[in-house]
Every structure is written in C-alpha cells, then in structure tokens.
Amino acid sequence: MSRSVRTRPEGSGQALSEAYDTALLDLDGVVYAGGNAIEHAVPSLAAARDGGMRLAYVTNNALRTPDAVAAHLTELGIPAEAGDVITSAQAVARLIADQVPQGSRVLVVGGEGLRVALRERGLEPVESADDEPVAVVQGYGGPELAWGRFAEASYAVARGLPWFASNTDLTIPSGRGIAPGNGAAVEVVRIATGAEPQVAGKPLPPMHRETILRTGAERPLVVGDRLDTDIEGAFNGGVDSLLVLTGVTDGAQLLAAPPQHRPTYVDADLRGLLTGQPEVVGDGGAFRCGGWTAAAGAGRLELDGDGAVVDGLRALCAAAWTAAGEEACGLDAGKALARLGL
C-alpha cells in the first residue's frame, strides 16, 4: 500500500478474496457482536475460504484464549482452530518476554487469555503486587473484573515496575451496544499512577509483527470496523484494508478520517470479500461511484443520485478526503449522509 495521502477508496477488478491470500479479520463488530454472528458473516467467510483465501482472526480482545475463540467461531458455523486466532494477549506476552528474564513473574490484571499467553512465553502469572512480579500487564477482563484489580496494578506500577497493556481500545461492541473496553481500564491505572504503559495491540507494530509471524501472510488484507485500530494498524504495517460498516464506525467518522484512518476499500459487511470493488471516478471536481455523484462545496458535502448506499458513501469519501488533503475533513456531511440513511 502506498503511504501517500489516500483521497478515495480504491477499486478492484477481482474479488478481494482472490486478490489477497489472507484475510486478517477483526472479530468484535466484524464477525460477531455480543457473541452472535453478524448478518452475512458466516456464508461470506465460508465462500472466501472455499475459494482459497486463508482466514485469520486478529483481535485486540485479550480476555479469551485462542482455543476458546476458535471454539466459539466453530459454534457459530465458522470452522476455526486455535492457530487461526491471533490475540493482543499473545502480542503483549511476546513484548514482555523480550524485556524480562525467562521464568519471570508478571502481575496480571485481566482474563485467562493473558495468563495462557504469558505461560506460552515462559512467564509466570501472579495476582498480587506483593508476589514479587517484575512487570505488570493489563488486558480486557470482562464486565466482572473486580475494581480491586486496578488498585493492585497501581501499587505495582507506582513501585516502578514496567507496565504493559494488551491494547487501549476505549470501547468494545456488545449485543446491547457499546461498552467500555480495556483502554478505559488502562485510564484508571494511568490516572492513579501518572505512568504510561507499553502497548502491544492494534494499531501498534507489536500486533502486526505477531500477526505476520503467526500467519506467514504474503498478500494480507486487514478487515475491520474500527478506524483507530484496524485501519490505522494496516496503515502502520503498510498493507491494504477493508472497512466494514457493521461495528463502531459510522459514516460521519469515515468521512472525517485523517490519512492514517482511511481504508483502502469500504463495504457494508463481509460480503465485500466476495466481490470486486467499484472504482470511484473523478469528474470535473465531483466524484462518481455507482449511481451517485458527490462533491464538496460551500462548507458542506453534496450528494446526488441513487443506487447502493455503500456506493454513495464511497463517492462521499472521495469528495471529503480530497477536500481535506492531509487533515481530517471538517465539512458538514449531515444532509448527504441523511440521503443514504446513515
């Protein structure tokens, strides 16, 4: 992927499942939400896999083990093995193991996924700041994580121990809406200590390194729903990305995206893996895609035409990103998005 400023979503004459050898799929908001499969996810992934595309599931959620994630996917009708799952717990465990001696004790604030990943790297998880840990690691522990765990982390970090975080996503999608993520929990310890953690998860390089090491992907496509993790992570890794609109990113956020948050492709859901991507064509200062024409003018984005909603959004992206250049677009997009029902 070019690191030049992206001014429009790209087109593809091939189905994305044919153009790329491996899909690096985020889970929450892409494959499932609240434990249930997102509409069209199961048959789309089956078709991509049957066509020869490797599917790897890359998640910033450090709560569950790869075995548990693979079992859940299989229950949903998406056959998977533990080796198909890459978590931020694995990435942060490798980051810690690179900096502390083999067999070191590490204070864990989070779930079983962190503990399993640490043991895989020859480290010993402990529960108390008084257990002589040499480092602290924090990952998403689910809604039942006790408040006292944050105090335990704060005691250890305040004593000068290096602090690691699996990821800093402020929110996480659920079946009932958007819930606080690990980033919100990290903020609790940061406020208490004034310290800054080393972070492994998307969009930072340790997660990309872990993913490539475990998958061996040569032509990977990152597929995600978040601009600040999935899409920025693809940008940082120099690989292409597909944003699907089944998670936390809405149309207004996409149009306002700065360069590092602009995906290569945009589609409604995972059916986008199975098709080519229509080209967005410039036309005298306006941009056409499908039956839609978009332009920037008079402080707002304008949209005319009809057709597939996502085609209109692609055209709007081209108008917004071109007008903004290397900045985030500040044009009013309300009426244009309303035409699309977004």
Side-chain angles (χ1 to χ4, degrees), residues 142-153:
E144 306 306 319
L145 187 66
W147 186 258
R149 302 305 301 150
F150 304 137
E152 209 64 43

Side-chain angles (χ1 to χ4, degrees), residues 133-260:
V134 302
V136 180
V137 64
Q138 191 170 355
Y140 183 64
E144 306 306 319
L145 187 66
W147 186 258
R149 302 305 301 150
F150 304 137
E152 209 64 43
S154 298
Y155 301 148
V157 172
R159 295 172 187 172
L161 269 63
W163 175 31
F164 299 83
S166 63
N167 66 296
T168 52
D169 300 39
L170 290 173
T171 60
I172 188 169
S174 76
R176 297 176 60 193
I178 303 300
N182 191 54
V186 167
E187 284 300 310
V188 173
V189 178
R190 179 185 281 119
I191 291 168
T193 64
E196 292 290 334
Q198 296 184 52
V199 182
K202 297 179 285 186
L204 297 172
M207 190 66 173
H208 182 73
R209 177 180 66 155
E210 192 71 23
T211 299
I212 297 304
L213 285 172
R214 288 180 180 265
T215 65
E218 296 182 358
R219 301 188 315 280
L221 177 70
V222 169
V223 184
D225 69 310
R226 298 184 72 107
L227 301 179
D228 60 348
T229 55
D230 305 314
I231 306 308
E232 185 176 342
F235 177 87
N236 290 340
V239 300
D240 289 345
S241 60
L242 167 65
L243 178 79
V244 291
L245 302 174
T246 49
V248 301
T249 298
D250 61 25
Q253 292 168 331
L254 177 60
L255 297 180
Q260 70 272 23

